[in-house]
Amino acid sequence: MHLTFENVDQFCADVQCEEDDPIIDLSRITFFRPFSLVYLGMFLRYHNSNGKSFSVLPPIATKARKYLSQQQFWERFNFDPKTMVPADLTQFSNTTSLNDIIDIEHRSYIGEDIAKQVFEILRRKQVKINIGLFSVMISELIDNFEYHSQSNLAVCAMQYYPNLNRVVFAVGDCGIGIKESLISNPNNEHLKELSEHEIALKSFEPLVTRMHEGGMGLTEVREGIIEMGGRLTCSTGIGYVIISQKEEASGNMAHYLPGVQMELSVPEVA
Amino acid sequence: MDNEYRLRDLPFPCISRIRGKSAALQVLERVKQSPLHIDMRDVDMLSMSFMDELVFHLAASANMRNVVFIIDDQVLLNKLAHIADIRQININYKFADEQIKRLEHKHFTPSGV
């Protein structure tokens, strides 16, 4: 079973969180898409910060189990993020491959730092996408975490699938989410009545922002993903958004998770 | 062109409003002296937020008519056109060996705002 954007919300909804020692059963998972890793990680962090810890049944499939182990998935997420000191964060480094999960701390220029390193990694690997545009989109997503999430820690994961000729980047936090952020601006009073997924979709329109200036970052992300023939998936609270050349859709997730979790999936050009 | 400002020579990436404002402050110093060409070609990463912030400060100081953006592809032109619409301003641009042209804004109304 692959864990992806399409099923990770239901997977989390099925965890019996009201029990004393809820079990996360990953035994049947054979493959983790970056979005699902980020979503599951934020699910753990959110509940940990509310005093809940989990037991886990690891994947039976060797590759999936080794992958989680290499990424120190449980050590990384099964803690209260407020207790994490910056020195313990795992940052991009020159030796970082395309397959690592990376913690993102809340600090100035974190967006451009991550974008620069993504740019260098993709160029070094000679990945055939518009690397500059992709890196700009990533910087916009991480800037949004820095400026709007009101949380101190996010996470990103990037994967390159050479056999599928595709690059996937996911980023997520468990902050205040898109709706609460946008309606904190009095100019957005009229958005209050909209659902989370309707507001999330609106946030990709020009000049829709929490601040007095700006409101172009997500617009550029939307246009970029369409131009590159890719697919964007985003969840925030109970809402989701999907954007690609073929579709622009929004609706409700099966599970409520605070913050914003987003994935960019882009095909290589021939 | 004597008075030329090359974004590719900046010591920071052109990808945020903060960086756009830093560039704008430098550009405003330069454009006081004479009309300025801002060369946007061959920049690894150039975001619309950066460009919008740069244009915003130029427009706020009534310097847009003294600036020409040099571009080399349709993607950059589309971004400039988008900013012209949103900011309700006219933007001068040129491809390398061509004449200067002007992007004139349409009447843009963001939905729901």
Side-chain angles (χ1 to χ4, degrees), chain A residues 194-250:
Chain A
L194 299 183
S195 66
E196 286 197 286
H197 69 83
E198 288 170 325
I199 287 194
L201 199 53
K202 218 160 231 330
S203 69
F204 288 87
E205 295 178 4
L207 301 184
V208 178
T209 178
R210 179 178 68 86
M211 302 189 290
H212 294 296
E213 284 302 322
M216 288 197 182
L218 284 183
T219 304
E220 181 161 30
V221 171
R222 180 179 69 180
E223 292 178 359
I225 204 76
I226 290 170
E227 184 181 312
M228 296 170 88
R231 182 176 187 249
L232 176 152
T233 47
C234 165
S235 66
T236 175
I238 196 72
Y240 76 81
V241 166
I242 300 172
I243 295 173
S244 70
Q245 281 177 348
K246 290 178 187 165
E247 67 172 326
E248 190 162 290
S250 68

Coordinates of all heavy atoms in Angstrom, one line a residue, chain A residues 194-250:
Chain A
L194 N -16.4 31.8 4.3 CA -16.0 30.7 3.4 C -15.4 29.5 4.2 O -14.9 29.7 5.3 CB -14.9 31.2 2.4 CG -15.4 32.4 1.5 CD1 -14.2 32.7 0.5 CD2 -16.6 32.0 0.7
S195 N -15.5 28.4 3.6 CA -14.9 27.2 4.2 C -13.4 27.2 4.0 O -12.9 28.0 3.3 CB -15.5 25.9 3.5 OG -15.0 25.9 2.2
E196 N -12.7 26.3 4.8 CA -11.3 26.3 4.7 C -10.8 26.0 3.3 O -9.8 26.6 2.8 CB -10.7 25.3 5.7 CG -10.8 25.8 7.1 CD -9.9 25.0 8.1 OE1 -10.3 23.9 8.4 OE2 -8.9 25.6 8.5
H197 N -11.4 25.1 2.6 CA -10.9 24.8 1.2 C -11.2 25.9 0.2 O -10.4 26.2 -0.7 CB -11.4 23.5 0.8 CG -12.9 23.4 0.4 ND1 -13.4 23.8 -0.7 CD2 -13.9 22.9 1.2 CE1 -14.7 23.6 -0.7 NE2 -15.1 23.1 0.4
E198 N -12.3 26.6 0.5 CA -12.6 27.8 -0.4 C -11.6 28.9 -0.2 O -11.1 29.5 -1.2 CB -14.0 28.3 -0.2 CG -15.1 27.4 -0.7 CD -16.5 27.8 -0.2 OE1 -16.7 28.3 1.0 OE2 -17.5 27.5 -0.9
I199 N -11.3 29.2 1.0 CA -10.3 30.2 1.3 C -8.9 29.8 0.8 O -8.1 30.6 0.3 CB -10.2 30.5 2.8 CG1 -11.5 31.3 3.2 CG2 -9.0 31.2 3.2 CD1 -11.4 31.9 4.6
A200 N -8.6 28.5 1.0 CA -7.3 28.0 0.5 C -7.2 28.2 -1.0 O -6.1 28.7 -1.5 CB -7.1 26.5 0.8
L201 N -8.2 27.9 -1.7 CA -8.2 28.2 -3.2 C -8.0 29.6 -3.5 O -7.3 30.0 -4.4 CB -9.5 27.6 -3.8 CG -9.5 27.3 -5.3 CD1 -8.3 26.4 -5.7 CD2 -10.8 26.7 -5.7
K202 N -8.7 30.5 -2.7 CA -8.6 31.9 -2.9 C -7.2 32.5 -2.7 O -6.8 33.5 -3.3 CB -9.6 32.6 -2.0 CG -10.3 33.8 -2.7 CD -11.5 34.2 -2.0 CE -12.7 34.4 -2.9 NZ -12.5 34.8 -4.2
S203 N -6.5 31.8 -1.8 CA -5.2 32.3 -1.4 C -4.2 32.2 -2.6 O -3.1 32.8 -2.5 CB -4.6 31.5 -0.2 OG -4.3 30.2 -0.6
F204 N -4.6 31.5 -3.6 CA -3.7 31.4 -4.8 C -4.0 32.6 -5.8 O -3.4 32.7 -6.8 CB -3.9 30.1 -5.5 CG -3.2 28.9 -4.7 CD1 -4.0 28.3 -3.8 CD2 -1.9 28.6 -5.0 CE1 -3.4 27.2 -3.0 CE2 -1.3 27.5 -4.3 CZ -2.1 26.9 -3.3
E205 N -5.0 33.4 -5.5 CA -5.3 34.5 -6.3 C -4.4 35.7 -6.0 O -4.0 35.9 -4.8 CB -6.8 34.9 -6.2 CG -7.7 33.9 -6.7 CD -9.2 34.3 -6.4 OE1 -9.4 35.4 -6.0 OE2 -10.1 33.5 -6.7
P206 N -4.1 36.6 -6.9 CA -3.2 37.8 -6.7 C -3.8 38.7 -5.6 O -5.0 38.9 -5.5 CB -3.2 38.5 -8.0 CG -3.7 37.6 -9.0 CD -4.6 36.6 -8.3
L207 N -2.9 39.2 -4.8 CA -3.2 40.2 -3.7 C -4.1 39.7 -2.6 O -4.5 40.5 -1.7 CB -3.9 41.4 -4.3 CG -3.1 42.1 -5.4 CD1 -3.8 43.4 -5.9 CD2 -1.7 42.5 -5.0
V208 N -4.3 38.4 -2.5 CA -5.0 37.9 -1.3 C -3.9 37.5 -0.3 O -3.2 36.6 -0.5 CB -5.8 36.6 -1.7 CG1 -6.5 36.0 -0.4 CG2 -6.9 37.0 -2.7
T209 N -3.9 38.3 0.8 CA -2.8 38.1 1.7 C -3.2 38.6 3.1 O -4.2 39.3 3.3 CB -1.5 38.9 1.3 OG1 -0.5 38.7 2.3 CG2 -1.8 40.4 1.1
R210 N -2.5 38.1 4.1 CA -2.7 38.6 5.5 C -2.2 40.0 5.7 O -2.6 40.7 6.5 CB -2.0 37.6 6.4 CG -2.1 37.9 7.9 CD -1.5 36.9 8.7 NE 0.0 36.9 8.6 CZ 0.8 37.7 9.3 NH1 0.3 38.5 10.2 NH2 2.1 37.6 9.1
M211 N -1.1 40.3 4.9 CA -0.4 41.6 5.1 C -0.9 42.6 4.2 O -1.8 42.4 3.3 CB 1.1 41.4 4.9 CG 1.6 40.3 5.9 SD 3.4 40.1 6.0 CE 3.8 39.4 4.4
H212 N -0.5 43.9 4.4 CA -0.9 44.9 3.6 C -0.3 44.9 2.2 O -0.8 45.4 1.2 CB -0.7 46.3 4.2 CG -1.5 46.4 5.5 ND1 -2.9 46.5 5.4 CD2 -1.2 46.5 6.8 CE1 -3.4 46.6 6.7 NE2 -2.4 46.6 7.5
E213 N 1.0 44.4 2.1 CA 1.7 44.2 0.9 C 1.7 42.8 0.5 O 1.5 41.9 1.3 CB 3.1 44.8 1.0 CG 3.2 46.3 1.0 CD 2.6 46.9 -0.3 OE1 2.7 46.3 -1.4 OE2 1.9 47.9 -0.2
G214 N 2.0 42.5 -0.7 CA 2.3 41.1 -1.1 C 1.0 40.4 -1.7 O 0.1 41.1 -2.2
G215 N 1.0 39.1 -1.6 CA -0.1 38.4 -2.1 C 0.2 37.9 -3.5 O -0.7 37.7 -4.3
M216 N 1.5 37.7 -3.9 CA 1.8 37.2 -5.2 C 2.5 35.9 -5.2 O 2.7 35.2 -6.2 CB 2.7 38.2 -6.0 CG 1.9 39.4 -6.4 SD 2.9 40.3 -7.6 CE 1.8 41.7 -7.9
G217 N 3.0 35.5 -4.0 CA 3.8 34.3 -3.9 C 3.0 33.0 -4.3 O 3.5 32.3 -5.2
L218 N 1.8 32.8 -3.8 CA 1.1 31.6 -4.1 C 0.6 31.7 -5.6 O 0.4 30.7 -6.2 CB -0.1 31.4 -3.1 CG 0.4 30.8 -1.8 CD1 -0.9 30.5 -0.9 CD2 1.2 29.5 -1.9
T219 N 0.3 32.9 -6.0 CA -0.1 33.1 -7.4 C 1.0 32.6 -8.3 O 0.8 31.9 -9.3 CB -0.4 34.5 -7.7 OG1 -1.4 35.0 -6.8 CG2 -0.9 34.7 -9.1
E220 N 2.3 32.9 -8.0 CA 3.4 32.5 -8.8 C 3.5 30.9 -8.7 O 3.9 30.3 -9.7 CB 4.7 33.1 -8.4 CG 5.9 32.7 -9.2 CD 7.0 33.7 -9.1 OE1 7.2 34.3 -8.1 OE2 7.8 33.8 -10.1
V221 N 3.3 30.4 -7.5 CA 3.4 28.9 -7.4 C 2.3 28.3 -8.3 O 2.6 27.3 -9.0 CB 3.2 28.6 -5.9 CG1 3.0 27.0 -5.7 CG2 4.3 29.1 -5.1
R222 N 1.1 28.8 -8.3 CA 0.0 28.2 -9.1 C 0.4 28.3 -10.6 O 0.3 27.3 -11.3 CB -1.3 29.0 -8.9 CG -2.4 28.4 -9.7 CD -3.7 29.1 -9.5 NE -3.7 30.4 -10.0 CZ -4.8 31.2 -9.9 NH1 -5.9 30.9 -9.4 NH2 -4.7 32.5 -10.4
E223 N 0.9 29.5 -11.0 CA 1.2 29.6 -12.4 C 2.4 28.8 -12.8 O 2.5 28.2 -13.9 CB 1.4 31.1 -12.7 CG 0.1 31.9 -12.7 CD 0.3 33.4 -12.9 OE1 1.4 33.8 -13.1 OE2 -0.7 34.1 -12.8
G224 N 3.3 28.7 -11.9 CA 4.5 27.8 -12.1 C 4.2 26.4 -12.3 O 4.7 25.7 -13.2
I225 N 3.3 25.9 -11.4 CA 3.0 24.4 -11.5 C 2.3 24.1 -12.7 O 2.5 23.1 -13.4 CB 2.3 24.0 -10.2 CG1 2.4 22.5 -9.9 CG2 0.8 24.3 -10.3 CD1 3.7 22.1 -9.4
I226 N 1.4 25.0 -13.2 CA 0.7 24.8 -14.4 C 1.7 24.9 -15.6 O 1.6 24.0 -16.5 CB -0.4 25.9 -14.6 CG1 -1.5 25.6 -13.5 CG2 -1.0 25.9 -16.0 CD1 -2.6 26.6 -13.4
E227 N 2.5 25.9 -15.6 CA 3.5 26.0 -16.7 C 4.4 24.8 -16.8 O 4.8 24.4 -17.9 CB 4.4 27.3 -16.4 CG 5.3 27.6 -17.5 CD 6.1 28.8 -17.2 OE1 5.5 29.8 -16.7 OE2 7.4 28.8 -17.3
M228 N 4.8 24.2 -15.7 CA 5.7 23.1 -15.7 C 4.9 21.7 -15.9 O 5.6 20.7 -15.9 CB 6.5 23.0 -14.4 CG 7.4 24.2 -14.2 SD 8.1 24.3 -12.5 CE 9.6 23.3 -12.8
G229 N 3.6 21.8 -16.0 CA 2.9 20.6 -16.3 C 2.8 19.7 -15.0 O 2.6 18.5 -15.1
G230 N 2.9 20.3 -13.8 CA 3.0 19.5 -12.6 C 1.6 19.5 -11.9 O 0.6 19.9 -12.4
R231 N 1.7 19.1 -10.6 CA 0.5 19.0 -9.8 C 0.8 19.5 -8.4 O 1.8 19.1 -7.8 CB 0.0 17.6 -9.8 CG -1.3 17.3 -9.0 CD -1.6 15.9 -9.1 NE -2.9 15.6 -8.5 CZ -3.1 14.8 -7.4 NH1 -2.1 14.4 -6.8 NH2 -4.3 14.6 -7.0
L232 N 0.0 20.4 -7.9 CA 0.1 20.9 -6.5 C -1.0 20.3 -5.7 O -2.2 20.4 -6.1 CB 0.0 22.4 -6.5 CG 0.1 23.2 -5.2 CD1 0.7 24.6 -5.4 CD2 -1.3 23.3 -4.6
T233 N -0.7 19.8 -4.5 CA -1.7 19.4 -3.6 C -1.4 20.1 -2.2 O -0.3 20.3 -1.8 CB -1.7 17.9 -3.3 OG1 -0.4 17.5 -3.1 CG2 -2.3 17.2 -4.5
C234 N -2.5 20.6 -1.6 CA -2.3 21.4 -0.4 C -3.5 21.0 0.6 O -4.6 20.9 0.2 CB -2.5 22.9 -0.8 SG -2.7 24.0 0.6
S235 N -3.1 20.8 1.8 CA -4.1 20.7 2.8 C -3.9 21.7 3.9 O -2.8 22.1 4.2 CB -4.1 19.2 3.4 OG -2.9 19.0 4.1
T236 N -5.0 22.2 4.5 CA -5.0 23.1 5.6 C -6.2 23.0 6.4 O -7.3 23.1 5.9 CB -4.8 24.6 5.0 OG1 -4.9 25.5 6.2 CG2 -5.9 25.0 4.0
G237 N -6.0 22.6 7.7 CA -7.2 22.3 8.5 C -7.9 21.1 8.0 O -7.4 20.0 7.8
I238 N -9.2 21.3 7.6 CA -10.0 20.3 7.1 C -10.1 20.4 5.5 O -10.7 19.6 4.9 CB -11.4 20.3 7.7 CG1 -12.2 19.0 7.5 CG2 -12.2 21.5 7.3 CD1 -11.6 17.8 8.2
G239 N -9.5 21.5 5.0 CA -9.6 21.7 3.6 C -8.5 21.2 2.7 O -7.4 21.1 3.2
Y240 N -8.7 21.0 1.4 CA -7.7 20.7 0.5 C -7.9 21.4 -0.8 O -9.0 21.8 -1.2 CB -7.5 19.1 0.2 CG -8.6 18.6 -0.7 CD1 -8.5 18.7 -2.1 CD2 -9.7 17.9 -0.2 CE1 -9.4 18.1 -2.9 CE2 -10.7 17.4 -1.0 CZ -10.5 17.5 -2.4 OH -11.5 17.0 -3.2
V241 N -6.7 21.5 -1.5 CA -6.8 22.1 -2.9 C -5.9 21.3 -3.8 O -4.8 20.9 -3.3 CB -6.2 23.6 -2.8 CG1 -5.9 24.1 -4.2 CG2 -7.2 24.5 -2.1
I242 N -6.3 21.1 -5.0 CA -5.5 20.4 -6.0 C -5.4 21.4 -7.2 O -6.5 21.9 -7.7 CB -6.1 19.1 -6.5 CG1 -6.2 18.1 -5.3 CG2 -5.2 18.5 -7.6 CD1 -6.9 16.9 -5.6
I243 N -4.2 21.6 -7.7 CA -4.1 22.5 -8.9 C -3.1 21.8 -9.9 O -2.0 21.4 -9.5 CB -3.5 23.9 -8.5 CG1 -4.5 24.6 -7.6 CG2 -3.2 24.7 -9.8 CD1 -4.0 25.9 -7.0
S244 N -3.6 21.8 -11.2 CA -2.7 21.3 -12.2 C -3.3 21.9 -13.5 O -4.3 22.6 -13.5 CB -2.8 19.7 -12.3 OG -4.0 19.3 -12.8
Q245 N -2.6 21.5 -14.6 CA -3.1 22.0 -15.9 C -4.6 21.5 -16.2 O -5.4 22.1 -16.8 CB -2.2 21.5 -17.1 CG -1.0 22.3 -17.3 CD -0.1 21.7 -18.4 OE1 -0.3 20.6 -18.8 NE2 0.9 22.5 -18.7
K246 N -4.8 20.3 -15.7 CA -6.1 19.6 -16.0 C -7.2 20.0 -15.0 O -8.4 19.9 -15.4 CB -5.9 18.1 -16.0 CG -5.1 17.5 -17.1 CD -4.9 16.0 -16.9 CE -4.0 15.5 -18.0 NZ -3.5 14.2 -17.7
E247 N -6.8 20.3 -13.8 CA -7.9 20.5 -12.8 C -7.5 21.6 -11.8 O -6.4 21.8 -11.5 CB -8.2 19.2 -12.1 CG -7.1 18.7 -11.2 CD -7.5 17.5 -10.4 OE1 -8.7 17.4 -9.9 OE2 -6.7 16.6 -10.1
E248 N -8.6 22.2 -11.2 CA -8.4 23.0 -10.0 C -9.6 22.6 -9.2 O -10.7 22.9 -9.5 CB -8.5 24.5 -10.5 CG -8.1 25.4 -9.3 CD -7.7 26.8 -9.8 OE1 -6.6 26.9 -10.4 OE2 -8.4 27.8 -9.6
A249 N -9.3 22.0 -8.1 CA -10.3 21.4 -7.2 C -10.1 21.7 -5.8 O -8.9 21.9 -5.4 CB -10.4 19.9 -7.4
S250 N -11.1 21.7 -5.0 CA -11.0 21.9 -3.6 C -12.1 21.1 -2.9 O -13.1 20.8 -3.5 CB -11.0 23.4 -3.1 OG -12.3 23.9 -3.3

